Amino acid sequence: MDFDLDAALRRVADDEHPGLGSIDAAVFHRVRANRTSARTGMGAVAFAAIGAIVLGTMTAGPAASSASAAPIDPFGVAGPLAPSTLLLADR
């Protein structure tokens, strides 16, 4: 397979498409159209954000009760005859 890349690029460069002269105007027209639709989308995003905050506040309730932590003991009930408690008994 012998493909001359330089020759292919020269062929592409020599062919001038008739629509290239008016492409700038078309691109700028689409950019302006997208700006107006982006403004419309911002209202929907703001509405969704406010709705999420209100829904989260209503779900959590007005005042959440404080959480109390359980004592940390790896084996459940602390044993009075555990080696650590026997070593500390003299102090």
Side-chain angles (χ1 to χ4, degrees), residues 6-87:
D6 290 330
L9 289 175
R10 255 186 251 107
R11 277 189 310 220
V12 170
D14 290 340
D15 294 337
E16 186 170 325
H17 192 274
L20 287 179
S22 63
I23 196 168
D24 291 339
V27 168
F28 287 128
H29 176 71
R30 290 295 301 243
V31 168
R32 280 192 292 279
N34 285 340
R35 282 185 186 165
T36 58
S37 67
R39 286 188 201 118
T40 306
M42 289 300 291
V45 169
F47 180 72
I50 291 171
I53 291 171
V54 169
L55 183 64
T57 304
M58 289 174 56
T59 304
S65 61
S66 62
S68 60
I72 298 175
D73 194 8
F75 300 110
V77 179
L81 298 177
S84 58
T85 56
L86 292 175
L87 291 174

